[in-house]
Amino acid sequence: MANKAPKSARKIRNLVIILGDQLDEQSAVFDDFDKQQDAVWMAEVEDETTHVKCHQLRIAIFLSAMRHFRDLLIQQEFSVHYHELKTDRRHDSGFSHADVLGDFVEQHSIERLVIVQPGDYRVLENFRQAAAQLGIELQIRPDRHFYASLEDFQSYADGKKSFLLETFYRHMRKRHRILVDENGDPEGGQLNFDHDNRKPFGKYGPGKLPARPDFAPDQISRDVIAMVGKRFHDHPGSLEDFNHPVTRIQAQKLLHHFVKHGLELFGPFEDAMWSGEPFLYHSLLSLPLNLKLISPQECLLAAINAYQQGQADLPSVEGFTRQILGWREFIRGIYWLKMPDYATLNALDQQYSLPDFYWTGKTSMACVQDAMQNVIRHGYTHHIQRLMVLGNLAQTLGAHPLDFHQWHMAMYLDAIDWVSLPNALGMSQYGDGGIVGTKPYCSTGNYIHKMSNYCKSCSYNYKEKTGENACPLSTFYWDFLDRNYETLKDNPRMGFAIKNLERLQKDDQAITGIRERAQELRTQWGVTTLKSGWRDDSKPL
């Protein structure tokens, strides 16, 4: 047996572990950092690109942001130990974080591992197991990036049998005194302006849209793009649109651009869709927020300042605030409150696979085709395309909720497990049976017709339920309600839909036609029943 290399002479007191979604200079891991005694450890590893078969652009953005953060720390005279992925897999020393960390520990004398709470339960458990096997203490510090700590949310949740976003949002607004007066009453006399923020564009579309900020790749990013293009060439997606912030300065530029050019019209049109327009007035801040390049506090302060200076209306600012202070904090709290069992939930016992076009975008459904082209090229669609196009179709055809979550994790740049799982499995697929959302979010093609121009160019007719020309969303909507009638009939928010279904069920020919057409579509699309309940490997291309 070959002798192991001797451990380094320098003893490391705290080996500070920084993950790809923890690129925060104000992180708790730096609280007592001593540059004479401590060191930073960062690693690019194969497992984090293949546990779901990640979009090429997602891999490239994460690795570029990590390398830029590494160089920033080195400039600030931190001791940084960094493991890079190479184009040739034979040159890598390990498959997982645990492999690379184990090799490093063998060569160094380390007293303690320090890490901020990861955003993925799987990653947290992997580090716990690795530390135990190595016989080194692992200190897990709180993630201060959020308004509510995990302890805060646990305290809020204690004694509650159910959770409502609106109640939590009200709690957060008052607690942090955001858009409230000295008495705690909401700015403008109401807490929620959602009814003002559901407008379609109309038949002429959005008109001239603000230009997207330019984040052209520098040499670090170009090197990453070249490596990813060769090493991960068989992964889904495209590297064409590498135009996202990978540094804090760029993230701040994106925030400034949104507040100046997008915020005013973000609110009224946040649910609208338009063919060929992937970004519209949306901020695109979810990616840098989830990488921790910018904080939610900065984002809300900038938006509120714009309102106070008369540069943005209250409904838009409140809608933006609700997404960050309400929804983002709420689902993070639910994730850590309910994991690990949350990932196993499948309240409607849905067992189908996703169609291949969730990876290729090759479909004649105009709304799905446009949304999937955005996913493939940009690793992005806004929340209505995720929820009411791609999520709606997956749910109503009967896709397994965890399968949908794994697809979402693979294909979206901003997907971290804490945010993706409650959104995809819970909100989108109703896999949690109502923990996150009180009803399934599903609709016929009529909703798409109202909120977009897709139906005008589509070969399907959103008004029809059966037949070759029927919109699949309309067919699957009624099939979904029919299949899940017993589960959904007593849901108070589904009363109107259930009454319509019951009228339809009295017509044997109509309901039989819907059931048969739904199964025809599944067969045409190559949808299969998942033998193991959910797929634990990546969808082959």
Side-chain angles (χ1 to χ4, degrees):
M1 182 180 294
N3 293 328
K4 294 180 179 179
K7 292 190 175 184
S8 65
R10 178 176 179 256
K11 189 173 183 178
I12 299 175
R13 182 190 64 159
N14 290 334
L15 184 65
V16 168
I17 298 167
I18 296 177
L19 303 176
D21 61 337
Q22 297 180 341
L23 309 181
D24 180 7
E25 293 178 73
Q26 305 303 315
S27 171
V29 295
F30 296 122
D31 283 355
D32 57 350
F33 196 97
D34 185 333
K35 293 180 180 178
Q36 301 303 313
Q37 302 184 75
D38 302 332
V40 171
W41 182 88
M42 300 176 71
E44 303 169 5
V45 295
E46 178 89 358
D47 187 36
E48 293 307 305
T49 67
T50 58
H51 75 280
V52 291
K53 198 169 186 178
C54 287
H55 193 299
Q56 294 181 53
L57 186 58
R58 185 177 192 271
I59 300 171
I61 293 289
F62 268 73
L63 300 191
S64 176
M66 288 174 67
R67 294 184 187 187
H68 280 91
F69 192 73
R70 169 202 64 190
D71 290 357
L72 176 66
L73 294 179
I74 290 173
Q75 291 171 10
Q76 296 174 359
E77 300 184 343
F78 285 84
S79 174
V80 181
H81 301 273
Y82 193 95
H83 179 268
E84 277 191 10
L85 287 176
K86 307 300 181 185
T87 302
D88 189 338
R89 283 181 167 89
R90 293 174 298 179
H91 295 159
D92 291 338
S93 63
F95 178 78
S96 68
H97 280 125
D99 294 332
V100 180
L101 182 62
D103 290 345
F104 183 82
V105 169
E106 283 188 1
Q107 307 301 320
H108 298 82
S109 297
I110 299 167
E111 289 185 18
R112 182 188 301 111
L113 304 174
V114 178
I115 192 171
V116 157
Q117 174 95 15
D120 188 322
Y121 183 89
R122 171 188 59 87
V123 172
L124 174 61
E125 289 304 300
N126 287 346
F127 274 105
R128 281 176 169 160
Q129 293 172 14
Q133 291 172 0
L134 293 168
I136 301 178
E137 174 193 355
L138 175 64
Q139 184 181 96
I140 302 169
R141 297 185 180 179
D143 190 343
R144 296 195 299 249
H145 173 80
F146 298 88
Y147 277 93
S149 68
L150 298 184
E151 292 75 18
D152 289 339
F153 193 87
Q154 178 67 65
S155 177
Y156 168 82
D158 281 348
K160 291 182 173 63
K161 294 182 179 180
S162 61
F163 309 97
L164 291 175
L165 168 65
E166 202 65 22
T167 305
F168 175 75
Y169 177 48
R170 185 182 300 270
H171 163 77
M172 292 291 284
R173 283 273 295 271
K174 289 184 177 181
R175 177 172 182 176
H176 295 281
R177 303 196 64 78
I178 293 176
L179 290 177
V180 297
D181 61 23
E182 61 275 8
N183 298 318
D185 296 324
E187 185 80 19
Q190 61 190 74
L191 183 77
N192 190 320
F193 288 83
D194 193 40
H195 67 276
D196 294 328
N197 294 344
R198 297 179 179 179
K199 296 178 181 178
F201 288 120
K203 64 180 181 179
Y204 297 111
K208 185 177 181 180
L209 292 165
R212 190 177 171 199
D214 181 26
F215 301 114
D218 60 8
Q219 188 59 53
I220 292 175
S221 295
R222 289 194 293 270
D223 289 344
V224 169
I225 292 168
M227 184 275 288
V228 171
K230 292 179 180 178
R231 178 168 178 152
F232 300 104
H233 62 89
D234 60 337
H235 279 231
S238 165
L239 287 164
E240 180 181 352
D241 185 46
F242 194 103
N243 188 30
H244 296 271
V246 291
T247 68
R248 174 163 170 73
I249 291 174
Q250 290 179 338
Q252 290 173 316
K253 177 182 176 181
L254 180 63
L255 172 61
H256 176 75
H257 180 274
F258 168 67
V259 169
K260 184 175 181 180
H261 300 289
L263 179 59
E264 172 69 13
L265 292 175
F266 162 74
F269 300 115
E270 65 177 294
D271 288 359
M273 299 172 284
W274 199 259
S275 179
E277 296 294 351
F279 308 119
L280 298 168
Y281 298 106
H282 289 263
S283 73
L284 307 184
L285 287 166
S286 57
L287 173 61
L289 268 169
N290 292 350
L291 294 180
K292 314 294 172 56
L293 293 173
I294 198 166
S295 74
Q297 292 84 356
E298 290 174 276
C299 293
L300 291 192
L301 180 61
I304 292 168
N305 283 342
Y307 163 66
Q308 293 173 340
Q309 295 169 13
Q311 298 170 358
D313 289 340
L314 182 57
S316 282
V317 174
E318 187 279 314
F320 184 65
T321 300
R322 185 169 2 105
Q323 288 195 358
I324 292 179
L325 185 67
W327 189 246
R328 190 169 184 267
E329 299 281 332
F330 180 69
I331 62 169
R332 191 236 183 182
I334 292 291
Y335 178 85
W336 287 108
L337 186 70
K338 298 295 184 179
M339 283 296 283
D341 293 341
Y342 192 88
T344 69
L345 299 179
N346 186 0
L348 301 178
D349 192 30
Q350 307 222 110
Q351 299 293 345
Y352 288 118
S353 66
L354 289 171
D356 286 345
F357 54 71
Y358 273 75
W359 284 265
T360 66
K362 296 178 180 178
T363 174
S364 55
M365 294 182 67
C367 59
V368 175
Q369 182 185 65
D370 189 66
M372 277 308 308
Q373 291 305 318
N374 294 340
V375 174
I376 290 167
R377 180 174 180 180
H378 306 295
Y380 171 86
T381 56
H382 70 68
H383 65 280
I384 293 299
Q385 289 174 313
R386 299 193 205 203
L387 181 66
M388 298 309 298
V389 177
L390 301 174
N392 185 11
L393 180 61
Q395 177 185 231
T396 55
L397 73 81
H400 193 290
L402 190 57
D403 201 45
F404 181 79
H405 159 64
Q406 290 180 318
W407 167 83
H408 187 268
M409 278 289 294
M411 297 297 281
Y412 279 87
L413 305 185
D414 57 7
I416 313 295
D417 205 59
W418 68 265
V419 68
S420 177
L421 189 64
N423 265 309
L425 181 146
M427 178 71 169
S428 175
Q429 302 301 293
Y430 200 67
D432 64 8
I435 294 173
V436 168
T438 54
K439 74 177 186 69
Y441 278 84
C442 55
S443 75
T444 67
N446 188 51
Y447 176 85
I448 307 301
H449 170 67
K450 289 180 178 179
M451 298 306 297
S452 75
N453 67 331
Y454 291 134
C455 298
K456 292 181 180 179
S457 61
C458 189
S459 59
Y460 295 110
N461 187 338
Y462 72 91
K463 296 179 181 179
E464 296 183 14
K465 305 179 184 69
T466 58
E468 292 184 0
N469 293 327
C471 173
L473 282 172
S474 297
T475 300
F476 280 125
Y477 172 80
W478 294 110
D479 182 64
F480 172 78
L481 294 183
D482 180 52
R483 293 194 323 267
N484 296 289
Y485 174 75
E486 291 298 325
T487 302
L488 301 177
K489 66 180 182 180
D490 295 324
N491 186 312
R493 295 192 64 195
M494 297 293 291
F496 181 75
I498 292 298
K499 286 181 180 179
N500 286 333
L501 172 68
E502 289 172 341
R503 284 193 289 269
L504 187 61
Q505 287 174 327
K506 293 177 182 178
D507 185 339
D508 289 340
Q509 184 176 358
I511 198 67
T512 299
I514 288 169
R515 293 167 183 167
E516 291 177 350
R517 179 56 181 163
Q519 191 52 46
E520 285 176 6
L521 287 169
R522 293 189 191 97
T523 301
Q524 289 174 15
W525 295 348
V527 171
T528 60
T529 301
L530 298 174
K531 295 179 181 179
S532 62
W534 60 276
R535 190 179 65 242
D536 59 1
D537 60 341
S538 297
K539 179 78 174 182
L541 297 178

